[in-house]
Amino acid sequence: MSTERLGLSAHRARFGEWRASRPFLGGVLLALGGITVAFVLIFSMGITFARASPSAFALVAATATFLCGVFALVEPDLAGLLGVVGVVSVVVSLVGTPLGAVLGVVLSILGGNLCYAWQPEAES
């Protein structure tokens, strides 16, 4: 079956327009970085966290980083602010994060910088 028959070309065009109107790569990298940090925390420490442990605090910060990435995709007008908040929260999560979360921190910092630098296209 061809893509025109299934209507996929129209969906791809709409997705392309949606993606161009927001910081897509920055939001995705920010969200993936938050997920990576959270998974490293959960799998290295297990599910049992002490109430006030640095790992529990780092998990909250990793969740905030993930949410900043998602909200940057949903609300592109706030992308600059969300990029800064995402980078700050992932740096704060370094307090309780094992060394294995370096990839997540790097992804989050790159995504936050891309969100901060993103500018909407000028309408002609």
Side-chain angles (χ1 to χ4, degrees):
M1 294 192 167
S2 67
T3 58
E4 291 80 23
R5 186 172 178 200
L6 295 174
L8 291 179
S9 60
H11 291 293
R12 284 184 183 168
R14 279 197 329 220
F15 178 73
E17 291 171 7
W18 179 83
R19 190 181 67 194
S21 67
R22 53 201 74 237
F24 185 74
L25 184 61
V28 168
L29 286 177
L30 198 57
L32 281 176
I35 288 173
T36 304
V37 171
F39 276 140
V40 167
L41 279 168
I42 289 172
F43 289 124
S44 68
M45 301 295 182
I47 302 297
T48 59
F49 288 105
R51 247 197 267 173
S53 73
S55 296
F57 183 69
L59 186 62
V60 170
T63 304
T65 304
F66 168 74
L67 290 176
C68 283
V70 170
F71 289 143
L73 293 174
V74 173
E75 285 293 329
D77 296 335
L78 301 174
L81 175 67
L82 291 169
V84 171
V85 171
V87 169
V88 168
S89 65
V90 79
V91 169
V92 166
S93 77
L94 285 173
V95 172
T97 306
L99 197 56
V102 171
L103 176 65
V105 171
V106 169
L107 286 175
S108 295
I109 289 174
L110 287 175
N113 286 333
L114 286 173
C115 285
Y116 181 72
W118 179 80
Q119 295 293 322
E121 292 181 359
E123 294 183 25
S124 42

